[in-house]
Amino acid sequence: MDWLERTTNLRQWTRSGTRAPHKPLLLLYALGRFQEDADSELRYSTVEEDLQRLLTEYGPPNKTTPAYPFHHLVSDGVWEVRTDRGPGSPGSGLRVLRESGATGRLAPEFGNALRREPELLHRIARSLLDLHFPPSLHTELCEAVGLDLEPTETGRFSAARRQQRDRRMRELVLTAYEYQCAFCGYDGRIGAVPVGLEAAHVRWWAFDGPDDIDNGLCLCALHHKLFDKGVLSIGDGHRILVSQRFVGHSPAAREHVTALAGRPLLGPQPGALPVAAHHRTWHTSQVFHGTPRPAIPA
């Protein structure tokens, strides 16, 4: 059985690029626990808080629950659930999962395959990361689920996917924005080489975001991470949106984040395409968290 193919093709609710990373997040969490203890079982009432935290931080902005993937991942053949009464999931309700003692684990055949071929776990984890999350979040997501992935063992699949991307995008986007962060204007260099500037996809490449200038922004490393975490987005008139859920009391947090609310983007230069409306809409609906803060008067 091709376990990499099976985990790549998890059944998910999809429509017009809607994000549904519930099953991938649960599977990444289960792989992290398996890596720590191959015989571990995950009692829902014990891991619910961990799974909810992952969904809140890395899932879509709408309210969701870990009960859904805990029950429905069984249908993909990689996960099994049993209760105090015996095999089988009791359903996707929070209360019934808690009260029945529902416990999940990787399907036995899947677990045996991972024991026989430890590198398979790494390939599957890297595949899930590439398919459902932007590269800026991979390292911290691995830390959040307890996965230890060695770059030398995981680079092949990721490299194969990267070859499908337009390698010119970074240079084209940074040139369009004149090598400065579109949010804060940072333009640092070491000699002639830009440092700390990145080309960010507005609509994530994992969700069919093209390698086009009108789907890109030149952002500093800080604002790229905040953009991919849903703290920042782009609204009408190409003005910066700052989530009301963001909290920061330090002068640095106010200056570099909350004070951006309502400011116009810096760039692109005349003749370069600005971020397309449909890519902005995808980001605000699928990544941005909550309601934007009101613009701060000048």
Side-chain angles (χ1 to χ4, degrees):
M1 182 175 295
D2 191 334
W3 293 105
L4 178 59
E5 181 179 359
R6 178 167 288 195
T7 54
T8 297
N9 296 308
L10 296 175
R11 299 172 187 172
Q12 295 172 273
W13 186 88
T14 57
R15 185 182 66 186
S16 302
T18 301
R19 293 181 62 216
H22 309 68
K23 287 182 178 180
L25 282 170
L26 172 58
L27 190 49
L28 285 167
Y29 182 83
L31 290 173
R33 295 292 291 270
F34 182 91
Q35 194 176 51
E36 180 183 354
D37 177 4
D39 296 317
S40 64
E41 296 186 341
L42 308 182
R43 193 174 182 90
Y44 182 80
S45 59
T46 302
V47 302
E48 180 182 3
E49 185 176 343
D50 285 349
L51 296 176
Q52 185 62 64
R53 188 181 302 113
L54 288 172
L55 280 171
T56 299
E57 188 164 358
Y58 300 101
N62 54 295
K63 188 176 181 180
T64 187
T65 168
Y68 170 85
F70 201 92
H71 167 73
H72 287 287
L73 187 59
V74 173
S75 66
D76 293 282
V78 298
W79 178 251
E80 69 173 24
V81 176
R82 61 183 298 118
T83 68
D84 294 338
R85 295 185 296 274
S89 174
S92 60
L94 287 171
R95 183 174 179 178
V96 69
L97 285 170
R98 293 167 181 161
E99 295 181 351
S100 65
T103 300
R105 66 171 183 172
L106 299 179
E109 298 88 347
F110 185 24
N112 290 337
L114 296 177
R115 290 183 180 90
R116 289 193 303 270
E117 188 182 354
E119 189 177 325
L120 177 62
L121 183 148
H122 294 219
R123 295 203 305 272
I124 288 172
R126 183 60 64 188
S127 168
L128 292 169
L129 291 167
D130 280 341
L131 289 170
H132 301 285
F133 305 96
S136 66
L137 301 183
H138 289 186
T139 299
E140 68 171 73
L141 186 47
C142 284
E143 293 175 357
V145 299
L147 271 170
D148 181 15
L149 300 185
E150 294 294 336
T152 56
E153 297 179 358
T154 60
R156 283 175 290 175
F157 184 86
S158 188
R161 286 182 56 80
R162 284 197 296 270
Q163 288 174 2
Q164 302 170 28
R165 303 175 67 166
D166 190 338
R167 296 178 180 178
R168 300 172 302 163
M169 182 184 176
R170 180 180 184 275
E171 184 65 25
L172 292 173
V173 169
L174 267 60
T175 298
Y177 285 85
E178 301 182 282
Y179 292 86
Q180 65 173 348
C181 176
F183 286 168
C184 69
Y186 169 82
D187 59 355
R189 295 171 180 263
I190 294 180
V193 180
V195 59
L197 288 173
E198 302 167 353
H201 282 76
V202 178
R203 183 185 181 114
W204 295 352
W205 188 72
F207 288 85
D208 300 319
D211 290 329
D212 296 334
I213 291 177
D214 68 356
N215 186 42
L217 285 173
C218 176
L219 297 177
C220 67
L222 170 65
H223 289 128
H224 189 178
K225 177 60 70 68
L226 296 177
F227 188 65
D228 283 347
K229 292 294 286 285
V231 173
L232 303 173
S233 192
I234 313 166
D236 295 337
H238 293 86
R239 291 185 175 273
I240 301 170
L241 304 179
V242 179
S243 173
Q244 287 188 346
R245 296 182 185 176
F246 174 80
V247 177
H249 301 293
S250 67
R254 291 194 296 270
E255 177 184 354
H256 297 300
V257 185
T258 54
L260 298 177
R263 289 185 187 177
L265 287 181
L266 302 174
Q269 62 177 287
L273 292 174
V275 178
H278 57 287
H279 296 321
R280 289 192 286 110
T281 299
W282 183 87
H283 191 274
T284 55
S285 66
Q286 297 302 314
V287 181
F288 186 67
H289 281 276
T291 305
R293 291 171 174 265
I296 297 177

